[in-house]
Amino acid sequence: MSKKKNDEEIKEEVVAESIDDIKVEDNAQPDEDTLQEEVKVDEKDEKITTLEAELIEKEKQINELKDKLIRNQADTENYKKRLLKDKEDAVKYANTALVKDLLGPLDDFSRALEAAKNSDNVEAIREGVTMIEDRIYTLLKTNWGLEVIEEANVPFDPNEHEACMMEVSDDAKEETVQLVLQKGYKVNGRVVRSAKVKVLKPAD
């Protein structure tokens, strides 16, 4: 009986030691390397989370910039189209003001022609037409910078005159406009039509 008791006591002691060993293992603290590894893993996870958030934000900014670029391109294209249309309109209607200025004299011509049908007074008709011509020249000079090239006995200028006839003269010291065959015109100083003239040329 005593021997059996001893065997049971021995078993109990072995079991108690095993339990104590397990408790010691459960209560054992992780070593420093393990702690550092865990910290590194946590830091990596945090960095990955931060980078993912930054990536999402950058993608959002890129999409916003793409949308803005598309809108700017559309605005630029529309602006170009407006400029082109404005340019076409400017060319198309460039002479509108000139035409409006000439409408009055045209009305005068119509009235003069109508009056001429019922009148034999040639002098009166001539005076009326002369007045209309003067009005046209005044409008063009005042509003459009028109200058008439019609002066004779001036030095021949190839920039303003076109020599249609030429005569040699012993009295001429230089090429001189003797006669204006057709008036020339300048607009704001630029020749738009040269005057056709007869030129006196000095003898060689």
Side-chain angles (χ1 to χ4, degrees):
M1 187 73 169
S2 175
K3 183 177 179 182
K4 185 178 180 181
K5 211 178 208 182
N6 288 337
D7 290 340
E8 289 178 357
E9 289 177 356
I10 291 171
K11 286 180 181 180
E12 289 177 358
E13 289 177 0
V14 170
V15 170
E17 288 177 359
S18 298
I19 292 172
D20 289 340
D21 290 340
I22 292 172
K23 287 181 179 179
V24 168
E25 289 179 1
D26 290 342
N27 294 329
Q29 298 295 325
D31 58 21
E32 185 175 349
D33 290 339
T34 302
L35 289 174
Q36 288 180 354
E37 289 295 329
E38 291 178 352
V39 170
K40 288 180 180 179
V41 170
D42 290 340
E43 289 178 351
K44 287 180 179 179
D45 291 341
E46 185 177 350
K47 286 182 179 180
I48 290 172
T49 302
T50 301
L51 289 173
E52 287 177 345
E54 290 179 355
L55 180 60
I56 292 172
E57 182 63 26
K58 295 297 182 184
E59 289 178 346
K60 181 180 177 182
Q61 292 177 2
I62 289 171
N63 290 331
E64 290 176 353
L65 289 174
K66 284 181 178 178
D67 291 340
K68 186 176 181 181
L69 178 60
I70 291 172
R71 287 195 300 270
N72 287 341
Q73 288 176 338
D75 290 342
T76 301
E77 189 64 27
N78 290 334
Y79 179 69
K80 288 180 179 178
K81 289 179 180 178
R82 285 196 301 271
L83 282 181
L84 181 60
K85 186 177 185 304
D86 290 344
K87 183 178 179 180
E88 290 174 348
D89 288 346
V91 172
K92 186 176 181 180
Y93 300 107
N95 297 322
T96 300
L98 172 60
V99 171
K100 289 176 68 175
D101 278 347
L102 294 177
L103 291 178
L106 283 174
D107 291 338
D108 292 342
F109 270 125
S110 296
R111 284 190 288 268
L113 290 172
E114 189 64 29
K117 293 178 182 179
N118 303 316
S119 175
D120 294 330
N121 190 340
V122 177
E123 184 61 25
I125 295 173
R126 188 188 67 80
E127 289 179 1
V129 172
T130 300
M131 289 176 61
I132 295 171
E133 182 186 40
D134 290 342
R135 182 182 178 188
I136 291 174
Y137 277 126
T138 300
L139 280 172
L140 294 176
K141 180 179 180 181
T142 303
N143 297 344
W144 301 93
L146 182 71
E147 300 174 58
V148 182
I149 306 171
E150 59 179 346
E151 191 174 358
N153 300 317
V154 295
F156 174 77
D157 183 352
N159 295 316
E160 296 186 359
H161 303 123
E162 179 184 345
C164 296
M165 298 175 65
M166 190 167 290
E167 181 180 330
V168 177
S169 172
D170 293 333
D171 296 330
K173 296 181 180 179
E174 60 179 342
E175 292 185 346
T176 305
V177 174
Q178 182 187 32
L179 179 67
V180 176
L181 304 172
Q182 184 184 66
K183 295 178 182 179
Y185 296 96
K186 293 190 289 185
V187 175
N188 294 321
R190 176 182 291 181
V191 176
V192 294
R193 190 178 83 180
S194 299
K196 296 182 184 297
V197 298
K198 178 183 177 182
V199 179
L200 284 181
K201 183 179 180 181
D204 293 335

